[in-house]
Amino acid sequence: DNGSVSCWGYNNNGQLGDGSTTSSPTPVFVALPSGRTAVAVSVAAQPGSYETSHTCAILDNGSVSCWGANDEGQLGDGTTTSTTTPVFATLPSGGTAVAISAGTQHTCAVLDDGSVACWGYNNYGQLGDGTLPSGSLATSVSAGHQHTCAVLDNGSVYCWGENMEGQLGDGSSYEVDGTISSSTPVNVALPSGRSATAVSAGGSHTCAVLDDGSVDCWGRNHKGQLGDGTNTDSPTPVSVSLPSGRTAVAVSANHGHTCAILDNGSASCWGYNAFGQVGDGTTGESESSENDNPTPVFVILPSGSSAAIPGFDEIEHYSSTVEDLDDVDEIVEGSTTLRWKAVDVEEHFDYFVHLRLYYNNYLQDYHISRFYSNSDEPVTGEWAFELEGDICNLRVYSELWVDNPGGWQ
């Protein structure tokens, strides 16, 4: 709750950030730059035998700091020298980061103007070519093994990079039409009438939470990681068979399995399970498909526990000066105070409230509030900001995160 970062585990490339390459089974403090604290952190998810790993964090001033392996420039400091302590990534001039995602050997960030910046390995075009649809703003980004995906402000999903197994989700793949990759973002073919609230790029597959709480996945499916009950690859989204009556609030795609947090605080996983990844108490003894779970199963959480839920529906926001923030006729230049209220909070948790102000098709300002809940009563706060010039298409996005957040959603 003080903005420090702790890491633990394998440390062959200094990915723990404590100035050493000594692995640690217990948390060690990351040597963040002097005077700085972190607001988000992302750890690169690696295939089982991959020998590189790095970690990145957004600091309280919007800068990005990374540490660990840097053989492909994934730390973003202009070198290919690995480091055991954080270095600053060189963001575009004047830009600050509002979301961060570390891929296998590349890193991407959403900047304060709604653009996406990526750095590192680019063998399949996973850094992109900078061409999101005109007038669109990215709200989140996910860097996978060798592809990247972003959710835009209209709820569409765009992906770029490797596409051998159809992980870009536009209907193409090497098997379908010989497509290997695309450095230009392509539009994922989401179900008609649906939009995405979150996306996660894995090894060779991708998953998204949709606006109705369903989950769709696409790409490689050799271990059942798409969750549709089959082992058939799909270059377009297929619906995950979530437990009956349940919806998802968050999803994370790894290299052969996928997990989601459900609306009741339970967790469900599917896919590769040779080492017990799906968390249902079973463990395969080989890497054969018979040990995998192509449909979601419930994770056995500790008794009385639930998964920390990013509160997409648990935050309300309203303005002290206008009834409807989307009514541009009532928006005028000058000072406005936004009052927010977080509801359904639980006692003794650390929460982060993220607010983003868009108008004139750009992210104009953002604000992060942190509070510790002493009870389960709603918590309120305020954010005063200035509106300048002609005001068009004003929107405020808000998220409530429980515990140390891994990024925006």
Side-chain angles (χ1 to χ4, degrees), residues 191 194 197 208-216 239-240 242 246-248:
R194 296 268 67 90
T197 60
V209 178
L210 304 186
D211 56 340
D212 61 352
S214 63
V215 175
D216 272 25
S239 181
V240 175
L242 294 176
R246 298 269 63 92
T247 58

Side-chain angles (χ1 to χ4, degrees), residues 50-128:
Y50 221 85
E51 289 300 316
T52 66
S53 185
H54 71 291
T55 310
C56 291
I58 298 178
L59 305 185
D60 56 330
N61 62 351
S63 63
V64 170
S65 193
C66 299
W67 55 96
N70 197 29
D71 51 317
E72 298 295 340
Q74 56 264 48
L75 302 189
D77 65 342
T79 77
T80 54
T81 303
S82 299
T83 176
T84 60
T85 55
V87 295
F88 283 110
T90 306
L91 298 179
S93 179
T96 58
V98 297
I100 190 74
S101 180
T104 297
Q105 290 180 288
H106 74 293
T107 308
C108 293
V110 177
L111 304 184
D112 55 349
D113 63 355
S115 64
V116 176
C118 297
W119 55 92
Y121 202 29
N122 198 32
N123 60 328
Y124 283 102
Q126 57 263 49
L127 302 189

Side-chain angles (χ1 to χ4, degrees), residues 26-378:
T26 57
V28 294
F29 281 112
V30 175
L32 293 178
S34 178
R36 300 267 66 96
T37 57
V39 297
V41 67
S42 180
V43 179
Q46 306 299 327
S49 61
Y50 221 85
E51 289 300 316
T52 66
S53 185
H54 71 291
T55 310
C56 291
I58 298 178
L59 305 185
D60 56 330
N61 62 351
S63 63
V64 170
S65 193
C66 299
W67 55 96
N70 197 29
D71 51 317
E72 298 295 340
Q74 56 264 48
L75 302 189
D77 65 342
T79 77
T80 54
T81 303
S82 299
T83 176
T84 60
T85 55
V87 295
F88 283 110
T90 306
L91 298 179
S93 179
T96 58
V98 297
I100 190 74
S101 180
T104 297
Q105 290 180 288
H106 74 293
T107 308
C108 293
V110 177
L111 304 184
D112 55 349
D113 63 355
S115 64
V116 176
C118 297
W119 55 92
Y121 202 29
N122 198 32
N123 60 328
Y124 283 102
Q126 57 263 49
L127 302 189
D129 62 2
T131 58
L132 289 176
S134 177
S136 296
L137 307 172
T139 60
S140 67
V141 67
S142 180
H145 178 42
Q146 294 181 135
H147 74 292
T148 307
C149 295
V151 178
L152 304 188
D153 56 345
N154 63 358
S156 63
V157 176
Y158 277 75
C159 297
W160 57 96
E162 185 187 4
N163 197 37
M164 294 288 288
E165 280 77 34
Q167 55 264 53
L168 300 190
D170 68 339
S172 65
S173 70
Y174 181 75
E175 183 177 348
V176 171
D177 57 11
T179 299
I180 295 175
S181 64
S182 175
S183 61
T184 299
V186 298
N187 191 5
V188 175
L190 296 178
S192 178
R194 296 268 67 90
S195 59
T197 60
V199 69
S200 180
S204 297
H205 77 293
T206 310
C207 294
V209 178
L210 304 186
D211 56 340
D212 61 352
S214 63
V215 175
D216 272 25
C217 297
W218 55 95
R220 194 177 188 189
N221 197 29
H222 67 308
K223 297 295 183 181
Q225 58 264 50
L226 300 191
D228 65 342
T230 76
N231 293 98
T232 304
D233 295 351
S234 178
T236 55
V238 295
S239 181
V240 175
S241 303
L242 294 176
S244 178
R246 298 269 63 92
T247 58
V249 297
V251 69
S252 180
N254 205 281
H255 287 271
H257 74 291
T258 309
C259 293
I261 299 176
L262 305 184
D263 57 326
N264 63 348
S266 64
S268 186
C269 297
W270 54 95
Y272 186 43
N273 193 41
F275 303 99
Q277 291 96 313
V278 301
D280 66 343
T282 65
T283 303
E285 296 180 356
S286 71
E287 296 191 9
S288 66
S289 61
E290 66 186 28
N291 300 304
D292 304 328
N293 289 270
T295 54
V297 295
F298 281 112
V299 176
I300 302 174
L301 297 174
S303 178
S305 299
S306 61
I309 299 177
F312 300 119
D313 298 320
E314 285 75 33
I315 188 167
E316 302 169 350
H317 54 264
Y318 49 93
S319 170
S320 61
T321 58
V322 294
E323 290 290 326
D324 184 358
L325 284 172
D326 292 321
D327 187 349
V328 297
D329 293 332
E330 296 189 38
I331 302 296
V332 295
E333 185 176 10
S335 298
T336 295
T337 298
L338 181 78
R339 300 198 309 271
W340 54 262
K341 179 171 67 174
V343 299
D344 292 341
V345 298
E346 296 185 24
E347 188 177 5
H348 302 316
F349 276 95
D350 194 29
Y351 288 90
F352 293 78
V353 176
H354 295 248
L355 303 171
R356 285 171 288 170
L357 171 68
Y358 289 86
Y359 60 87
N360 299 343
N361 293 321
Y362 285 97
L363 176 65
Q364 303 287 352
D365 202 356
Y366 69 95
H367 176 73
I368 300 173
S369 293
R370 176 185 291 165
F371 66 87
Y372 182 80
S373 57
N374 292 309
S375 69
D376 58 3
E377 294 297 317

